[in-house]
Amino acid sequence: MSLPDSPHDAEHKVSCPPEELLVDAEANDAPTPPARPQRTWLLLLGLVLVALNLRPALSSLAPLLNTVRDGTGLSAAAAGLLTTLPVLCLGLFAPLAPMLARRLGAERTVLLILLTLAAGIVLRSLFPVTGLFLGSLVAGASIGIIGVLLPGIVKRDFPRIAGTMTGVYTMALCLGAATAAGSTVPLAGLMDDSWQPALAFWAIPAIIAAVIWLPQTRQNHHAHRAVYKVKGLWRDPLAWQVTLYMGLQSSLAYIVFGWVPSILIDRGLSAVEAGLVLSGSVMVQLFSALAAPWLATRGKDQRVAVVIVMGLTLAGLLGLLYAPLSGIWGWAVVLGLGQGGTFSIALALIVLRSPDAHVASNLSGMAQGVGYTLAACGPFLVGVVHDVTGGWAATGVIFVAVTVGAIAFGLGAGRDKLVQVKSEHV
């Protein structure tokens, strides 16, 4: 599917193929012919391994957060800041990705940042408090940069099967997050109940991915040079609606990564059980992440889809917070179905609301940069509220408020319209 060239073409958009969800961060550059990999299987393996490493640094901490707090004396607000910091870095450092790719090449940049990711993960386990925060900053910045570059590499080197690769990419993200969430506490148990080596363990997959990725740095891709400029995006109301929907739904996602295991532990589950509940919920996201964009584009617009997935997300969160523990797995499934859909629809809206690939690239950068910065406020706010109230019950108000805001902006972003901006050749 090609994106429409003018606002009048918006009414004809009735589908969003999976390959369109991969927005190339370098779409504003002169096109370069793909260099056919000498070993396609090695590139595919490398992409999967890199994607697997984009969530464990975030999801591995949550099941151990109470243990970390006990060992370091962190308050809930400080722990909220700890879970917020890497999310904030996702937005703040994402704009560096295209600049580094132009200077070093996308493949070399990915290799370098994989090593900084491993270093950040190890740093979290050193110098208990200072290392936790510095390591989280480095890890979050690394994830933000790689996350922007991988989709463009997929679109360039697998143009004919980009849709299939989108599914593989999504599966790897979910699998990495779920594995880390479910296995970090058992790992700590095997290491004399010490949280430091259990967190540091997740540097090993990043190093393995770097080794497997190394041959890709020898590929000779032509240098990029900027030739397009998009004007007026930051003044467009629709662009802001897309961005704020992205940010608010992401805020709920990172609250889940940061705090749901702690909530469940305080409600009576063991740390292992809480980690497994989070792991299972993340794995369920895979199904709705693949299905939701297709279903959302069957109708006139995406407003109904936004309400449905946000409603499922809120129901799942409130169920985990208030419902009897006997039904906890059912609520985890509901939450996973909702959050997988909210994220994939957010990606789809970036494409569906853009008149061409250059606008989509810039809107993606705006939605990620501003959206993830906004999303970082959620985990921190939950920690502050817990400190003030001494419990988790009041966080339900946060869940409801964020969901209502996301629905409000999602209803605007879901309309069958295009952002009123131009991409110009310069």
Side-chain angles (χ1 to χ4, degrees):
M1 182 189 87
S2 61
L3 291 169
D5 294 322
S6 72
H8 301 293
D9 293 324
E11 60 185 307
H12 300 298
K13 290 185 296 180
V14 294
S15 65
C16 183
E19 60 267 22
E20 292 289 1
L21 301 186
L22 295 173
V23 179
D24 190 347
E26 298 178 82
N28 282 348
D29 297 346
T32 59
R36 186 174 180 83
Q38 295 179 354
R39 297 181 179 179
T40 301
W41 66 269
L42 190 59
L43 172 59
L44 177 59
L45 177 62
L47 286 169
V48 170
L49 290 177
V50 174
L52 279 169
N53 282 279
L54 296 186
R55 291 297 179 267
L58 304 176
S59 62
S60 60
L61 177 62
L64 287 173
L65 194 55
N66 284 357
T67 304
V68 172
R69 288 179 60 196
D70 292 341
T72 59
L74 290 177
S75 66
L81 180 59
L82 181 62
T83 59
T84 291
L85 191 59
V87 183
L88 182 64
C89 290
L90 293 181
L92 294 180
F93 286 86
L96 285 179
M99 292 184 281
L100 288 172
R102 289 191 189 102
R103 180 174 293 272
L104 303 176
E107 286 77 11
R108 291 188 180 92
T109 301
V110 169
L111 176 64
L112 173 64
I113 301 303
L114 276 173
L115 296 177
T116 65
L117 173 60
I121 292 172
V122 171
L123 185 58
R124 289 195 308 179
S125 301
L126 304 174
F127 319 112
V129 175
T130 303
L132 270 172
F133 283 91
L134 286 178
S136 295
L137 187 153
V138 173
S142 301
I143 294 168
I145 292 171
I146 294 178
V148 172
L149 292 178
L150 276 195
I153 295 174
V154 169
K155 287 184 73 172
R156 185 196 64 206
D157 289 334
F158 296 95
R160 296 183 179 179
I161 57 168
T164 301
M165 286 300 300
T166 303
V168 173
Y169 177 76
T170 305
M171 185 182 298
L173 287 175
C174 292
L175 182 60
T179 301
S183 61
T184 301
V185 173
L187 277 173
L190 295 173
M191 300 172 178
D192 297 324
D193 292 321
S194 177
W195 60 266
Q196 289 98 331
L199 290 182
F201 171 84
W202 298 105
I204 297 175
I207 294 171
I208 293 173
V211 172
I212 299 299
W213 187 257
L214 182 61
Q216 305 308 321
T217 62
R218 304 188 184 103
Q219 296 295 323
N220 183 27
H221 295 289
H222 298 283
H224 291 263
R225 59 184 181 89
V227 292
Y228 284 92
K229 184 176 183 180
V230 174
K231 296 181 179 180
L233 190 65
W234 289 74
R235 298 189 300 272
D236 187 89
L238 181 56
W240 277 104
Q241 289 166 345
V242 172
T243 296
L244 293 173
Y245 172 70
M246 168 67 86
L248 290 171
Q249 66 83 25
S250 294
S251 183
L252 292 177
Y254 291 109
I255 288 173
V256 169
F257 275 136
W259 286 113
V260 159
S262 295
I263 292 173
L264 296 178
I265 290 169
D266 286 351
R267 292 198 63 200
L269 295 187
S270 69
V272 172
E273 290 171 329
L276 289 175
V277 169
L278 175 59
S279 176
S281 183
V282 173
M283 285 302 295
V284 171
Q285 290 184 23
L286 176 61
F287 300 101
S288 54
L290 297 177
W294 183 86
L295 293 173
T297 52
R298 296 305 94 188
K300 180 181 178 181
D301 56 38
Q302 290 72 51
R303 287 178 289 184
V304 173
V306 166
V307 173
I308 291 174
V309 295
M310 291 306 308
L312 288 171
T313 298
L314 180 60
L317 284 168
L318 295 181
L320 294 181
L321 186 59
Y322 300 122
L325 290 177
S326 59
I328 208 73
W329 279 100
W331 294 115
V333 170
V334 171
L335 176 63
L337 291 174
Q339 291 202 303
T342 60
F343 178 66
S344 58
I345 288 175
L347 294 180
L349 289 175
I350 292 172
V351 174
L352 292 170
R353 301 290 86 91
S354 300
D356 59 46
H358 308 295
V359 174
S361 175
N362 281 265
L363 181 55
S364 178
M366 177 179 175
Q368 289 188 68
V370 177
Y372 285 136
T373 303
L374 173 63
C377 299
F380 177 67
L381 184 59
V382 168
V384 171
V385 170
H386 179 270
D387 263 357
V388 172
T389 64
W392 298 108
T395 58
V397 177
I398 298 175
F399 298 158
V400 172
V402 174
T403 300
V404 170
I407 290 175
F409 290 114
L411 288 174
R415 294 171 298 162
D416 190 17
K417 297 179 64 178
L418 295 175
V419 294
Q420 300 298 300
V421 300
K422 298 179 179 179
S423 56
E424 299 178 353
H425 189 280
V426 294

